[in-house]
């Protein structure tokens, strides 16, 4: 029983759902105790808006955010009440506020959540005024109830953060190690000793999983950063910070490559060495996921039985070396570097069992991307005031969609017409693919919720039972809204039906709710399609350019470390993280492209081939970064410096051509000559220089296929430069 409760407590959404349950149940008990059931709807809506505005923070940061949230909610609710009788003023204020609130997303996740929740609460206020038939004599009543519900949930959230401050850190680190374990599992499949292995398909799956790891890394960093404060971190936070840095190092080593896998499979088809690598990587992936469970359940982590797999791998390598096959010399050196990397990765995972024993990092600073001053905040907002900004486009679409929705509801005067605006806000997303997916989920969830609600209202006519169903539906909404939106929509539809059935006729809401959902979804879909549409293929060249530019900066940082010695300072970690962020962003862009109309995803195949190549390039860079150390003096140092500079310049050159849509050279004699020069290494070269030169040669060999794909994409772009339907 205790173990079950511990596992339940460790679930990501359990604490969130429990807070919502306490808030909704408390409001319900108050309304029943006071015999004022008509207060239930505004209190519930205020609680929902406040929960939507919540972001992770320490208790003090959450308190400050709550005060800002309540201020925004109060202004929005009273503005709606005061402007409601004046349609032109009302719709102008709504459009401008919607546009401004979307732009606030430039300041960070916290401000984006508060702005979005404020917009939703303003529509809740419209629904309340509409329920009163447009009467505004009691202008303070509805806003105070909405803000009271929001304050009640906000206080619960602040108290919860004060009592259980580190629980979100544990959950984010657990999620990070779980995704790392899955990455290692997929990576191990590349060592399958098959001659016809689909390496490109496995690379694509690896690139997609890398995107999930990067998201988990960024979330873990933000969660820890929120608890660092300005002073020295406490023992618990320091422990979590060390686990985060271990995860960063594991990620770099896990994502590294030392040789093309198909050539290794061809050369060592009759040996068990690749099987040994696969087994060890798979075991390390399982260890990461075991560590994830240990962090989540706050249990000790014991990484045992690892020595045997390492010994077997070393024995296989030694057996191959004893055969003295001259054709294997270079391959065996790459396998040796791979084995050394896996050994270090293993040692890192073993150290995670007692992170307190690890010496403090030379530089444990984390990059805080939030605005540092009002001037910085205003500058970020100013930079968004251009049609090229994604936030500007989304804000303009939202403003026009809400204006259109307001015009439609005044034109046809539908029952409960303000649900049209609420649907539009939830369905209208920053890009077409996400909007299309949300539109289908919203309609399907609404239909399911209405059918189930109709059946439950008929089966359980008791107001008390229906109130309990409403609370359960509210909890289900928040437990599923980020992972199963169709189910979340069904749950929130149930809550609305049960609440309105307490004060009126729930049956009378079923058809209007369905009609409003269809109309609001249609308006949102048309807005995304027609108003400055953000087709992913139109910015594919910029995404590819950013990926190569970030890889170039990462390479420069790595080579600096080979000159000065290994140091995980902020500049190096930022360059590494930016390279992986760019790789993940490209993967997300391509996934969104697949949801767009056929004509707009014509370059998706080139994009996915580019993703495989760029992720392979990033793997070779990671391999170079995993072994970085100060190199001894050698005659080849000049070649390495010259090669690194040339490779960085070439990556930047291709990136600039993609960014500016200039023709790019498919073939470079200089790069071909450099690759051959790097591949010719004297037998007496030390292993450190040999490894660096080999990795640089692999990177150089990636340039030709990258140039070919870039040239092909730019040729299609320039050939099809005429305006497309739906484009400005």
């Amino acid at each position: 029983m205790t173990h079950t409760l511990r596992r339940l407590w460790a679930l990501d959404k359990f604490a969130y759902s429990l807070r919502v349950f306490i808030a909704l149940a408390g409001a319900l008990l108050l309304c029943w105790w006071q015999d004022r059931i008509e207060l239930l709807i505004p209190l519930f809506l205020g609680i929902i808006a406040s929960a939507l505005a919540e972001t992770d923070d320490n208790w003090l940061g959450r308190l400050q955010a709550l005060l800002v949230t309540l201020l925004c909610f109060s202004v929005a609710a009273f503005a709606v009440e005061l402007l409601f009788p004046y349609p032109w003023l009302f719709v102008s204020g709504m459009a401008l506020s919607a546009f401004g609130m979307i732009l606030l997303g430039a300041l960070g996740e916290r401000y984006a959540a508060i702005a979005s929740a404020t917009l939703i609460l303003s529509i809740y206020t419209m629904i309340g005024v509409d329920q009163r038939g447009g009467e505004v004599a009691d202008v303070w009543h509805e806003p105070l109830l909405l803000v009271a519900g929001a304050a009640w949930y906000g206080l619960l959230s602040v108290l919860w953060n004060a009592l259980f401050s580190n629980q979100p850190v544990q959950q984010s680190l657990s999620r990070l190690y779980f995704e790392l374990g899955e990455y290692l599992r997929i990576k191990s499949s590349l060592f399958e000793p098959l001659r016809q292995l689909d390496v490109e398909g496995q690379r694509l799956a690896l690139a997609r999983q890398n995107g999930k790891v990067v998201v988990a890394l960024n979330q873990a960093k933000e969660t820890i950063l929120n608890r660092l404060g300005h002073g020295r971190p406490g023992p618990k936070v320091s422990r979590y910070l060390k686990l985060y840095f271990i995860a960063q190092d594991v990620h770099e080593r896990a994502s590294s490559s030392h040789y093309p896998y198909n050539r290794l499979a061809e050369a060592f088809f009759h040996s068990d060495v690749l099987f040994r690598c696969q087994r060890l990587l798979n075991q390390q992936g399982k260890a990461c996921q075991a560590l994830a469970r240990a962090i989540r359940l706050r249990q000790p982590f014991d990484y045992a039985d690892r020595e045997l797999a390492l010994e077997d791998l070393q024995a296989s390598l030694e057996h191959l070396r004893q055969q003295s096959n001259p054709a294997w010399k270079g391959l065996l050196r790459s396998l040796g570097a791979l084995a050394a990397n896996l050994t270090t990765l293993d040692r890192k995972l073993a150290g995670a069992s007692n992170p307190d024993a690890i010496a403090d990092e030379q530089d444990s600073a984390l990059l805080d991307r939030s605005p540092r001053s009002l001037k910085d905040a205003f500058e970020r907002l100013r930079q968004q005031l251009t049609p090229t900004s994604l936030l500007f486009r989304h804000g303009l679409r939202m403003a026009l969609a809400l204006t259109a929705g307001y015009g439609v509801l005044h034109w046809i005067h539908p029952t409960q017409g303000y649900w049209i605006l609420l649907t539009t806000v939830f369905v209208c997303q920053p890009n077409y693919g996400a909007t299309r997916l949300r539109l289908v989920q919203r309609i399907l969830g609404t239909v399911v919720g209405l059918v189930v609600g109709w059946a439950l209202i008929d089966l359980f006519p008791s107001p008390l039972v229906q109130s309990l169903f409403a609370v359960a539906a509210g909890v289900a909404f928040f437990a599923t809204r980020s992972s199963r939106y169709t189910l979340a929509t069904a749950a929130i539809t149930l809550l609305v039906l049960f609440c309105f059935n307490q004060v009126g006729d729930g049956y009378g809401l079923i058809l209007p709710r369905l009609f409003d959902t269809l109309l609001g979804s249609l308006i949102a879909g048309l807005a995304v399609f027609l108003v400055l549409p953000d087709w992913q293929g139109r910015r594919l060249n910029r995404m590819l350019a950013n990926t190569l530019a970030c890889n170039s900066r990462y390479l420069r940082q790595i080579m600096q470390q080979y000159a000065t010695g290994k140091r995980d300072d902020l500049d190096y970690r930022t360059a590494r993280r930016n390279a992986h962020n760019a790789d993940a962003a490209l993967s997300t862009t391509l996934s969104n492209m697949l949801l767009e109309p056929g004509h707009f995803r014509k370059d998706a195949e080139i994009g996915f081939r580019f993703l495989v190549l760029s992720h392979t390039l990033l793997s070779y860079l990671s391999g170079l970064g995993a072994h970085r150390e100060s190199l001894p003096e050698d005659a080849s140092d000049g070649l390495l410096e010259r090669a690194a500079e040339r490779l960085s310049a070439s990556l930047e050159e291709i990136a600039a051509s993609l960014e500016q849509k200039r023709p790019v050279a498919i073939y470079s004699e200089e790069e071909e000559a450099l690759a051959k020069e790097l591949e010719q290494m004297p037998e007496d070269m030390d292993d450190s220089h040999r490894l660096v030169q080999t990795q640089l040669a692999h990177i150089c060999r990636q340039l030709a296929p990258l140039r070919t794909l870039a040239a092909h994409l730019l040729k299609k772009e320039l050939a099809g430069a005429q305006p497309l339907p739906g484009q400005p």
Side-chain angles (χ1 to χ4, degrees):
M1 182 65 178
T2 304
H3 183 66
T4 303
L5 289 175
R6 183 189 288 268
R7 291 177 66 86
L8 187 63
W9 177 257
L11 292 175
D12 283 355
K13 297 296 181 183
F14 179 75
Y16 190 28
S17 303
L18 184 57
R19 290 197 298 275
V20 172
F21 171 75
I22 294 171
L24 293 176
L28 176 63
L29 288 173
L30 176 66
C31 292
W32 277 92
W33 177 49
Q34 294 289 325
D35 196 22
R36 298 287 304 278
I37 201 66
E38 72 276 5
L39 305 181
L40 189 65
I41 294 176
L43 286 176
F44 269 24
L45 294 179
I47 290 168
I48 290 169
S50 184
L52 290 173
E54 183 182 29
T55 53
D56 176 69
D57 214 329
N58 56 39
W59 74 269
L60 185 58
R62 180 62 189 133
L63 179 60
Q64 293 169 345
L66 174 61
L67 295 176
V68 174
T69 301
L70 295 180
L71 177 63
C72 292
F73 282 8
S74 301
V75 172
F78 279 106
V80 169
E81 291 278 355
L82 293 172
L83 295 177
F84 199 84
Y86 311 102
W88 287 108
L89 283 176
F90 181 83
V91 72
S92 300
M94 180 176 65
L96 287 173
S97 60
F99 178 75
M101 288 174 188
I102 296 297
L103 286 191
L104 284 177
L107 303 183
E109 182 186 359
R110 176 191 297 176
Y111 301 96
I114 293 173
S116 176
T118 302
L119 188 58
I120 290 167
L121 183 118
S122 66
I123 299 175
Y124 287 162
T125 311
M126 299 176 206
I127 293 170
V129 178
D130 187 51
Q131 290 291 308
R132 303 197 306 264
E135 298 175 7
V136 293
D138 210 5
V139 71
W140 56 271
H141 186 257
E142 188 90 12
L144 283 183
L145 287 173
L146 288 166
V147 174
W152 162 228
Y153 178 83
L155 290 174
L156 273 176
S157 177
V158 171
L159 180 61
W160 196 281
N161 278 329
L163 293 175
F164 309 107
S165 176
N166 292 320
Q167 187 185 36
V169 185
Q170 296 162 2
Q171 292 170 341
S172 63
L173 283 172
S174 174
R175 194 178 311 115
L176 168 57
Y177 276 101
F178 179 84
E179 297 295 353
L180 269 175
E182 188 65 13
Y183 185 90
L184 284 165
R185 186 193 65 78
I186 298 173
K187 184 68 177 280
S188 71
S189 65
L190 284 170
F191 291 92
E192 190 79 28
L194 297 175
R195 285 174 173 159
Q196 301 301 320
L197 181 66
D198 182 13
V199 175
E200 187 168 319
Q202 296 290 347
R203 282 282 193 189
L204 185 57
L206 201 61
R208 285 173 166 164
Q209 180 60 27
N210 187 60
K212 296 180 181 179
V213 175
V214 169
V215 169
L217 275 165
N218 291 335
Q219 289 177 344
K221 186 202 78 171
E222 293 300 325
T223 306
I224 295 171
L225 193 60
N226 289 334
R227 284 151 184 83
L228 279 176
H230 299 290
R232 188 175 181 82
K236 284 188 177 180
V237 176
S238 178
R239 185 173 190 271
Y240 297 139
L241 190 59
K242 289 176 181 178
L243 284 171
Y244 171 74
F245 284 133
I246 290 173
Q248 278 195 324
D249 207 357
V250 167
H251 182 220
E252 182 172 55
R253 293 183 178 280
S255 59
S256 62
S257 293
H258 297 80
Y259 207 81
Y261 297 104
N262 52 347
R263 296 185 193 173
L264 291 175
E266 184 71 30
F268 301 112
F269 183 75
H270 298 289
S271 170
D272 67 349
V273 67
L274 293 183
F275 169 75
R276 299 296 179 189
C277 292
Q278 182 188 40
R279 178 169 176 259
L280 182 56
L281 259 178
N282 196 39
Q283 179 178 300
Q284 290 169 342
K286 291 178 180 178
C288 278
Q289 295 185 338
L291 176 57
R293 288 190 292 273
I295 294 171
R296 185 181 295 270
L297 300 174
R298 290 185 294 175
Q299 294 175 341
F301 169 67
D302 182 22
Y303 184 29
D305 301 327
R306 63 186 187 276
E307 289 86 358
L308 186 59
L310 278 170
E311 289 173 3
D312 289 345
L313 174 58
Q314 293 295 345
S316 291
L317 272 173
E318 186 58 33
H319 176 71
L320 291 172
R321 290 189 185 105
Q322 288 175 359
Q323 296 184 41
S324 302
N325 187 333
W328 290 353
K329 279 189 177 181
L331 296 174
L332 286 175
R333 289 190 181 102
S334 293
L335 279 178
L338 170 63
N341 188 42
L342 291 176
T343 302
T344 307
L345 195 158
D346 213 69
R347 191 164 60 248
K348 289 286 181 181
L349 287 175
S353 59
N354 184 21
D356 295 327
I358 300 173
D360 288 335
E361 292 280 337
Q362 293 175 324
D363 183 357
S364 60
L366 296 177
L367 180 62
D368 186 358
R369 299 183 186 274
S370 59
R372 300 180 182 276
S373 63
L374 278 176
K375 182 181 178 182
D376 185 17
F378 282 121
E379 178 60 25
R380 292 192 187 190
L381 292 175
R382 188 191 64 78
Q383 290 173 356
Q384 300 300 319
L385 296 175
T386 168
T388 60
S389 163
L390 300 183
L391 280 178
F392 180 94
R393 291 174 171 227
H394 181 44
L396 184 61
R397 284 194 292 264
M398 185 70 78
L400 292 177
L402 290 176
T403 302
Y406 186 77
V408 166
L409 71 89
H410 275 274
W411 176 41
I412 62 177
H413 296 285
T415 307
Q416 309 290 345
Y418 285 90
W419 294 105
I420 296 172
L421 302 184
L422 191 64
T423 300
T424 300
V425 168
F426 278 112
V427 171
C428 190
Q429 299 296 303
N431 60 70
Y432 176 86
T435 301
R436 174 184 164 185
L437 187 61
R438 181 62 61 89
L439 185 149
V440 174
Q441 293 172 333
R442 187 80 184 180
I443 294 174
L444 182 59
T446 299
V447 171
V448 171
L450 291 174
V451 171
V452 173
W454 169 77
L456 291 178
I457 289 174
D458 197 44
L459 290 171
F460 301 96
S462 168
L464 178 59
V465 174
Q466 291 181 17
S467 298
L468 296 177
F469 276 138
V471 172
V475 173
F477 169 72
F478 283 99
T480 58
R481 73 183 183 94
S482 60
S483 55
R484 299 178 181 176
Y485 191 73
T486 302
L487 181 58
T489 302
I492 200 66
T493 303
L494 282 173
L495 182 144
V496 169
L497 283 180
F498 289 133
C499 285
F500 275 81
N501 202 51
Q502 303 288 308
V503 295
D505 179 18
Y507 290 108
L509 188 64
I510 292 177
L511 288 178
R513 173 78 172 179
L514 178 59
F515 177 75
D516 294 345
T517 297
L518 293 173
L519 199 52
S521 298
L522 176 63
I523 291 170
L526 288 174
V528 173
F529 187 80
L530 297 175
V531 182
L532 295 178
D534 183 31
W535 304 118
Q536 303 297 291
R538 285 286 173 148
R539 60 192 187 98
L540 182 60
N541 63 303
R542 294 195 296 274
M543 299 301 296
L544 302 181
N546 182 55
T547 302
L548 296 181
C550 288
N551 282 336
S552 173
R553 288 190 286 272
Y554 184 24
L555 174 58
R556 291 184 187 279
Q557 283 291 328
I558 291 171
M559 296 310 294
Q560 283 182 22
Q561 302 254 323
Y562 275 104
T564 60
K566 179 179 178 179
R567 178 181 171 85
D568 283 329
D569 55 15
L570 183 59
D571 289 341
Y572 176 80
R573 287 186 281 112
T574 300
R576 178 175 63 187
R577 184 59 41 230
N578 287 342
H580 282 282
N581 281 341
D583 187 73
L586 177 58
S587 178
T588 302
T589 298
L590 291 169
S591 297
N592 289 332
M593 277 183 70
L594 296 180
L595 296 173
E596 295 179 348
H599 182 77
F600 298 106
R601 60 171 185 262
K602 64 184 186 302
D603 295 327
E605 183 182 352
I606 295 178
F608 278 110
R609 289 169 62 193
F610 203 103
L611 175 63
V612 171
L613 286 175
S614 66
H615 188 72
T616 304
L617 171 66
L618 182 56
S619 296
Y620 289 136
L621 288 170
S622 296
L624 199 58
H627 297 281
R628 63 203 142 91
E629 59 183 18
S630 183
L631 292 174
E633 294 289 335
D634 191 271
S636 65
D637 286 348
L639 171 62
L640 298 183
E641 290 177 10
R642 178 166 54 85
E645 180 58 36
R646 175 59 191 166
L647 295 177
S648 296
S650 294
L651 290 172
E652 290 166 0
E653 174 202 332
I654 302 171
S657 296
L658 284 166
E659 177 72 30
Q660 300 166 20
K661 294 188 178 181
R662 296 196 320 253
V664 59
I666 295 178
Y667 179 76
S668 169
E669 291 185 3
E670 185 180 350
E671 289 168 5
E672 178 64 26
L674 179 61
K676 290 178 179 178
E677 187 177 3
L678 288 169
E679 289 166 348
Q680 294 173 358
M681 288 170 273
E683 286 297 324
D684 59 348
M685 178 179 283
D686 65 273
D687 289 342
S688 298
H689 281 84
R690 183 180 295 275
L691 186 146
V692 175
Q693 194 162 321
T694 300
Q695 292 298 112
L696 290 176
H698 292 329
I699 293 169
C700 193
R701 287 298 183 189
Q702 291 297 113
L703 293 178
L706 284 171
R707 284 181 176 278
T708 301
L709 281 181
H712 190 38
L713 176 67
L714 289 171
K715 183 179 179 182
K716 293 181 70 176
E717 287 274 347
L718 294 172
Q722 61 271 19
L724 296 172
Q727 285 296 322

